[in-house]
Amino acid sequence: DEKRDAIIEMEQKLLFALKYEMVVHTPYRLSRVLLLLVFRIIIDAVLLDVARTEAFKTILTEDTLNQVQSTADNLISTVGRTDVDLTVDPSYVALYASHNALKQINEGDAIFATVVDRLRHGDSVLHVPESNSFSLESLIKRIEQVTLAVNDFKMRVMIFVP
């Protein structure tokens, strides 16, 4: 029984290490992917709106926005090759990708805070809960949990494959 569990546990890691791509079509996974795409589009739209403000228009140039979107898309692709997208809410995966992409540019933390603030006070589908207990720090901690889960998966794969 332990051997069977160990084999099942290593299966996805082995496929990842071999760069084997297998797509399992289930309604559940498709709906999560569609939600993730919707959330990314909403975040990109808010980010474009932030880029038009006086405070950030010199930082968020067209090239920078393209770089942020490309980095976020790559991060989401990485998450898609793990089981993290099945265990984490799609909105947090989208926020994870945007947060980590924005961290790579000047004033990225301030831009992310502005995006989250606009999501909290806007009428978008991706609504960050408005409550007295909400803080940007708590949101970032939840996003960092996604980062840890992705990195944990990568580490387990690296340990498995010499």
Side-chain angles (χ1 to χ4, degrees), residues 92 119-120 126-135 139 142:
Y92 285 106
L119 289 170
R120 286 185 68 216
L126 180 63
H127 187 69
V128 177
E130 179 135 12
S131 70
N132 294 336
S133 63
F134 174 83
S135 71
L139 177 64
R142 291 195 71 177

Side-chain angles (χ1 to χ4, degrees), residues 50 56 59 102 105-116 136:
V50 169
F56 298 114
I59 298 168
L102 286 168
I105 64 171
N106 290 337
E107 300 291 327
D109 290 331
I111 295 168
F112 183 75
T114 303
V115 167
V116 169
L136 183 62

